[in-house]
Amino acid sequence: CLLREVKEETGLTLTDYRFRGIITFVTDCYETEYMCLYTADSFEGELTECAEGNLEWVPKHKLSNLNLWQGDYIFLRLLEEREEFFSLKLVYEGDALVQVALNGKELPEEEW
């Protein structure tokens, strides 16, 4: 699925990639969703337009400047800090992040 989705949405073929984590999004507004998180170190092909939005390269050091969900900043930080696979559960009430669990252990809010 990863290879098909990347090819379909970017025109690129991943040649070196790794499964890094699974994210569970729980909210009082929508059904629970799961996201498989991968990183890639190399690819082949030319970037093409995407029908799902504007696709652009963003330098890693500028990711924290983007308007993202609070939980997105958490898993981006985990990707930067950790090599091992992780499971992250993010619980929202409306737009507010109210609970975070890493590898099955609830984290205190000061660690978010």
Side-chain angles (χ1 to χ4, degrees):
C1 291
L2 167 71
L3 296 176
R4 178 183 47 79
E5 282 294 313
V6 170
K7 181 71 170 180
E8 178 182 303
E9 295 180 16
T10 68
L12 303 175
T13 301
L14 298 181
T15 57
D16 186 20
Y17 52 90
R18 193 165 58 126
F19 190 22
R20 299 287 305 280
I22 187 160
I23 314 299
T24 305
F25 296 97
V26 179
T27 174
D28 57 351
C29 299
Y30 307 102
E31 290 184 31
T32 298
E33 294 184 5
Y34 303 92
M35 178 177 70
C36 293
L37 189 60
Y38 291 82
T39 56
D41 293 320
S42 62
F43 58 87
E44 297 174 344
E46 296 294 323
L47 197 60
T48 59
E49 287 190 30
C50 177
E52 296 186 29
N54 295 329
L55 185 61
E56 65 180 279
W57 294 112
V58 177
K60 285 182 184 180
H61 70 275
K62 291 189 176 185
L63 290 174
S64 63
N65 297 332
L66 297 176
N67 183 22
L68 303 174
W69 288 88
Q70 186 178 358
D72 293 1
Y73 296 109
I74 296 170
F75 68 72
L76 289 170
R77 185 182 76 238
L78 290 169
L79 285 174
E80 191 69 29
E81 294 174 353
R82 296 168 174 252
E83 287 295 317
E84 73 273 8
F85 181 90
F86 61 88
S87 172
L88 185 67
K89 180 179 179 182
L90 304 168
V91 180
Y92 288 89
E93 290 178 3
D95 292 344
L97 184 62
V98 296
Q99 182 183 10
V100 176
L102 177 61
N103 297 327
K105 180 181 174 190
E106 189 169 341
L107 297 178
E109 192 169 347
E110 60 270 8
E111 291 185 30
W112 305 354

